[in-house]
């Protein structure tokens, strides 16, 4: 199959905007909890739909009083929190347009987003964020509005807006229609300078309503979730809007080190995460089991669980496997399930392929990971697995109101409800992103099976063509290597070179436990990169990944770096994807060193 279309499940309303979702929610269930915030004693305090809407209105009036005009852009830089969603809807109610800025952005990145968007204001969270703004403030003469959350910005806005009438607020709130701009999200810049992606009110409204209709088992008013990935990214931002539409109660925990504690107290019914989070949870559980002398039973439970999940796909689970799984589930897997809060039955994963092993592993815990596919330009989900339409290893069928097709060169193209309007003031880039018949060209490579399920195989721009003419998709090698407990990041190289090589970084968080489990003394990342036993383990990991590809596609040499790639170093995007073009530029000398050496030296080296 090369093309598939799924009709919309909900009639479109071209007059609706995002604020209508909250208005409808308040009308339907005014007293139902829509958010929960930490109560300071390890629990959570509920905030009803009416309470949320009333405070949104007061903050919006404050923005109007501050002089923010309809259609004007205002930047927002803060961690994931209840206040993030409050400000988001308040800006919409005021008739303005938010430009979300990642809390990890540098002053230069912040300046670009505000300058390019023509923003007239900014709201920051704390002194650190404000300092970055102050560093470039002289370059931003159009920015006339500035607030800080930790200096009581919300209270000040509420007080300032006391003279704004309800009639003025309603006029602002209801003015936008579906085709109007709802937000301006700048791409993470993994392939170059960020472009402003214009998402409309219809993108959020129609996609939210159709998603609720498509996945009622997960998206319903009995649902609860904890958001911990950044709301500046379209993935979490869409989910937060979807939860308002569906009446799902949302908590927030920006500190992933406190995530297990938050899950235990909040007990969500579904989770939202990127694959790296699921990898980390698995790796941490594995290392804890090994450190406690329970490595063998953990391994047996995982192997049996994966085998059990695979058997479910065949429609028949042998009795012996059922019995074995029941025992190991009680002894091991049920304890892992409790770490996720005990109530979670589904998770939504996006931004990168999850991998079949983890998909089957989590399914054996009773957590069905609904892997999806999308980009900023598709308002997040273009395809998603559903509880009743689910295939491990795929990103599922198209969402309602969406079409997916595969071009002759394997590129995934999308049309329909979720597709963005344009790149902000960049008609050349907009024209280059669409085919003549209106399909958005994603730049990703994939295939559709006979049932219309999409499988991602790589990025078009990342395809490596060796000197021998072999096309290699880096993801096929990088994903399984990165999933190992020892590895933090991996970057495959070899374009126009005689063979494929790779750079690996070690996971500093997982390294101490791995060293202890394997009888090695404590050492830092730089020391471990040179240790023979660590290097031998990495060789085994690479060999395992190589076993799934041809020799021409396999990694012949790899280098272990004495440091890691980070957001702060400029090598990772805020959603933890590698910035390949930046890494390749920064490692140009190391890459040259690999290929200037004798091809037959083989194996592994250590940089630095």
């Amino acid at each position: 199959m090369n093309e598939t279309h799924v009709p919309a499940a909900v009639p479109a309303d071209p007059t609706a905007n995002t604020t209508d979702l909250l208005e409808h929610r308040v009308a339907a269930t005014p007293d139902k909890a829509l958010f929960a915030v930490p109560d300071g004693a390890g629990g959570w305090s509920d905030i009803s739909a009416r309470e949320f809407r009333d405070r949104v209105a007061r903050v919006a009036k404050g923005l109007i009083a501050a002089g923010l005009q309809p259609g004007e852009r205002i930047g927002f830089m803060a961690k994931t929190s209840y206040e993030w969603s409050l400000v988001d809807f308040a800006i919409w109610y005021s008739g303005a347009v938010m430009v979300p800025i990642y809390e990890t952005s540098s002053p230069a990145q912040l300046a670009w987003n505000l300058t390019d968007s023509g923003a007239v204001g900014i709201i920051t969270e704390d002194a650190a964020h404000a300092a970055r703004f102050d560093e470039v403030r002289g370059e931003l003469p159009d920015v006339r509005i500035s607030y800080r959350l930790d200096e009581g910005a919300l209270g000040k806005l509420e007080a300032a807006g006391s003279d704004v009438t309800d009639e003025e607020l309603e006029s602002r709130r209801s003015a936008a229609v579906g085709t109007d701009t709802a937000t301006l999200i700048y791409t993470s810049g993994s392939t170059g300078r960020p472009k402003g992606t214009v998402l409309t009110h219809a993108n959020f409204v129609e996609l939210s309503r159709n998603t609720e209709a498509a996945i009622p088992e997960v998206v319903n008013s009995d649902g609860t979730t904890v958001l911990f990935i950044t709301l500046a990214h379209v993935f979490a931002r869409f989910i937060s809007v979807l939860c308002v539409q569906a009446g799902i109660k949302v908590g927030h925990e920006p500190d992933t080190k406190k995530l297990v504690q938050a899950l235990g107290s909040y007990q969500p019914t579904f989770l939202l995460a990127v694959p790296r989070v699921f990898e980390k949870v698995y790796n941490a559980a594995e290392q804890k089991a090994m450190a406690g002398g329970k490595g063998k039973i953990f391994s047996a439970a995982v192997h049996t669980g994966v085998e059990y999940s695979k058997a479910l796909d065949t429609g028949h689970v042998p009795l012996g496997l059922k019995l074995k799984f029941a025992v190991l589930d009680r002894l091991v897997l049920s304890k892992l399930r409790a770490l996720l809060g005990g109530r979670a039955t589904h998770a939504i994963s996006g931004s990168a392929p999850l991998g079949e092993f983890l998909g089957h592993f989590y399914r054996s815990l009773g957590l069905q990971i609904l892997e999806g596919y999308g980009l900023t330009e598709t308002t997040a989900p273009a395809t998603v697995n559903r509880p009743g339409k689910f295939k491990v290893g795929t990103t599922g069928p198209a969402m309602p109101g969406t079409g997916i097709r595969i071009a002759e060169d394997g590129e995934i193209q999308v049309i329909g409800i979720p597709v963005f309007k344009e790149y902000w003031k960049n008609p050349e880039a907009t024209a280059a992103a669409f085919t003549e018949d209106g399909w958005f060209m994603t730049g990703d490579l994939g295939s559709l099976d006979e049932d219309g399920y999409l499988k991602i195989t790589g990025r078009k721009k990342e395809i490596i063509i060796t000197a021998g003419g072999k096309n290699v998709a880096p993801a096929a090698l990088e994903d399984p290597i990165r999933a190992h407990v020892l590895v933090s990041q991996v970057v495959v190289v070899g374009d126009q070179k005689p063979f494929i090589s790779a750079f690996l970084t070690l996971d500093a968080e997982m390294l101490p436990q791995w060293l202890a489990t394997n009888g090695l003394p404590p050492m830092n990342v730089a020391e471990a990169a040179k240790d023979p036993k660590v290097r031998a383990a990495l060789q085994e990991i690479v060999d395992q990944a190589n076993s799934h590809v041809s020799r021409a596609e396999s990694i012949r040499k790899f280098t272990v770096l004495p440091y890691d790639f980070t957001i702060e170093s400029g090598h990772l995007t805020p959603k933890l994807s590698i910035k390949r073009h930046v890494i390749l530029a920064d490692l140009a000398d190391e890459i040259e060193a690999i290929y200037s050496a004798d091809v037959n030296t083989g194996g592994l080296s250590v940089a630095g």
Side-chain angles (χ1 to χ4, degrees):
M1 180 182 290
N2 290 321
E3 186 173 329
T4 180
H5 294 260
V6 176
V10 179
D13 180 358
T15 67
N17 66 46
T18 53
T19 69
D20 290 319
L21 301 182
L22 179 54
E23 291 293 312
H24 292 162
R25 175 47 47 200
V26 173
T29 56
D31 299 319
K32 184 184 183 300
L34 196 57
F35 292 93
V37 295
D39 62 7
W44 301 79
S45 297
D46 289 344
I47 297 172
S48 72
R50 180 192 285 117
E51 289 171 325
F52 177 66
R53 191 269 177 198
D54 288 349
R55 195 168 187 207
V56 162
R58 293 195 299 271
V59 174
K61 286 182 177 181
L63 292 171
I64 294 170
L68 192 62
Q69 297 299 311
E72 286 188 324
R73 278 76 59 203
I74 181 168
F76 185 38
M77 187 180 196
K79 295 185 180 70
T80 292
S81 65
Y82 163 71
E83 288 75 18
W84 210 106
S85 291
L86 177 63
V87 170
D88 195 13
F89 273 89
I91 290 173
W92 275 328
Y93 268 65
S94 75
V97 174
M98 185 204 284
V99 180
I101 301 169
Y102 289 110
E103 64 268 23
T104 55
S105 293
S106 68
Q109 290 170 323
L110 184 154
W112 167 255
N113 287 15
L114 295 180
T115 302
D116 187 67
S117 66
V120 301
I122 184 171
I123 300 172
T124 54
E125 179 178 11
D126 54 29
H129 296 158
R132 279 176 247 171
F133 169 61
D134 288 340
E135 191 173 324
V136 295
R137 191 167 195 160
E139 306 170 24
L140 302 165
D142 293 336
V143 176
R144 63 178 190 268
I145 299 170
S146 176
Y147 288 96
R148 267 176 56 179
L149 295 182
D150 68 341
E151 291 184 340
L154 298 181
K156 292 176 182 177
L157 285 167
E158 290 180 81
S162 59
D163 292 333
V164 176
T165 66
D166 290 342
E167 290 75 18
E168 170 66 9
L169 177 65
E170 178 60 18
S171 175
R172 291 286 195 98
R173 181 201 74 76
S174 60
V177 296
T179 55
D180 288 326
T181 301
T183 191
L184 193 56
I185 300 180
Y186 280 79
T187 59
S188 57
S190 61
T191 58
R193 195 165 198 179
K195 298 186 292 289
T197 304
V198 176
L199 296 178
T200 66
H201 285 276
N203 285 140
F204 284 100
V205 170
E206 304 305 340
L207 188 56
S208 293
R209 290 173 173 172
N210 277 276
T211 300
E212 182 182 22
I215 320 177
E217 303 92 337
V218 181
V219 182
N220 58 67
S221 59
D222 293 326
T224 59
T225 193
V226 175
L227 291 180
F228 53 91
I229 62 177
T230 177
L231 278 160
H233 189 270
V234 70
F235 187 24
R237 179 90 171 280
F238 167 69
I239 293 296
S240 72
V241 174
L242 173 63
C243 289
V244 169
Q245 158 65 22
I248 295 169
K249 186 170 74 170
V250 178
H252 302 82
E253 178 49 76
D255 187 350
T256 55
K257 293 181 180 179
K258 299 178 181 178
L259 181 58
V260 171
Q261 178 182 346
L263 295 178
S265 61
Y266 194 83
Q267 297 183 321
T269 61
F270 76 92
L271 305 174
L272 175 75
V274 296
R276 191 61 178 146
V277 171
F278 292 113
E279 291 170 359
K280 287 271 192 179
V281 170
Y282 171 80
N283 289 337
E286 180 185 47
Q287 290 301 296
K288 183 177 181 180
M290 294 180 69
K294 299 179 180 179
K296 287 186 177 180
I297 191 171
F298 179 87
S299 179
V302 169
H303 175 78
T304 300
V306 170
E307 188 179 357
Y308 179 84
S309 176
K310 289 181 177 179
L312 290 175
D313 288 339
T314 69
H316 173 68
V317 181
L319 179 59
L321 179 57
K322 283 184 180 179
L323 296 174
K324 184 178 180 182
F325 174 76
V327 172
L328 291 172
D329 179 62
R330 187 178 72 254
L331 294 175
V332 179
L333 301 179
S334 61
K335 295 178 175 61
L336 297 178
R337 191 179 303 117
L339 290 177
L340 300 175
R343 296 180 63 226
T345 56
H346 297 89
I348 301 172
S349 175
S351 88
L354 177 68
E356 291 191 28
F357 170 77
L358 287 178
H360 284 298
F361 165 71
Y362 280 101
R363 187 190 194 185
S364 73
L365 297 183
L367 184 72
Q368 190 178 34
I369 297 183
L370 306 176
E371 194 171 358
Y373 167 75
L375 304 89
T376 302
E377 290 88 344
T378 62
T379 325
T383 71
V384 177
N385 276 290
R386 277 74 127 177
K389 293 182 178 179
F390 176 80
K391 290 185 182 181
V392 173
T394 77
T395 62
M399 293 295 289
T402 304
I404 305 290
R405 77 179 181 190
I406 308 299
E408 290 186 5
D409 63 356
E411 183 178 29
I412 302 164
Q413 299 178 353
V414 185
I415 199 168
I417 285 173
V419 177
F420 75 124
K421 183 177 182 179
E422 61 190 349
Y423 289 118
W424 177 255
K425 293 185 177 179
N426 197 336
E428 295 83 6
T430 301
F434 288 88
T435 63
E436 290 185 359
D437 56 347
W439 290 72
F440 169 57
M441 298 181 287
T442 66
D444 290 319
L445 300 174
S447 61
L448 289 168
D449 69 12
E450 65 278 4
D451 298 316
Y453 287 67
L454 181 66
K455 186 177 181 65
I456 311 301
T457 56
R459 279 198 62 80
K460 187 176 179 180
K461 292 181 180 179
E462 292 179 354
I463 291 296
I464 293 171
I465 304 177
T466 67
K470 183 65 177 178
N471 285 17
V472 179
L477 292 161
E478 291 171 350
D479 291 344
I481 293 173
R482 190 173 49 249
H484 194 275
V485 64
L486 256 181
V487 179
S488 176
Q489 298 293 338
V490 55
V491 180
V492 169
V493 301
D495 198 50
Q496 300 302 311
K497 303 297 184 182
F499 57 87
I500 297 297
S501 298
F503 290 92
L504 276 64
T505 68
L506 299 175
D507 190 322
E509 186 178 346
M510 293 291 117
L511 179 62
Q513 187 62 63
W514 186 91
L515 293 172
T517 301
N518 287 272
L520 295 173
M523 59 184 86
N524 60 34
V525 166
E527 293 167 338
K530 300 177 182 179
D531 184 83
K533 288 189 177 180
V534 173
R535 291 161 59 176
L538 292 172
Q539 185 66 63
E540 291 181 7
I541 298 166
V542 170
D543 290 344
Q544 180 62 32
N546 283 342
S547 69
H548 297 290
V549 299
S550 68
R551 175 162 175 75
E553 298 169 280
S554 64
I555 297 170
R556 299 273 293 281
K557 296 178 70 174
F558 63 92
T559 297
V560 187
L561 298 172
Y563 56 85
D564 201 0
F565 300 131
T566 65
I567 296 172
E568 291 72 22
S569 71
H571 295 129
L572 298 182
T573 71
K575 64 174 184 176
L576 304 182
S577 299
I578 59 172
K579 292 185 177 181
R580 195 175 299 272
H581 68 291
V582 175
I583 292 171
L584 294 182
D586 288 351
L587 294 179
D589 291 343
E590 287 85 350
I591 293 172
E592 184 59 32
I594 290 175
Y595 293 103
S596 63
D598 183 351
V599 172
N600 294 320
T601 56
L604 173 150
S605 62
V606 180

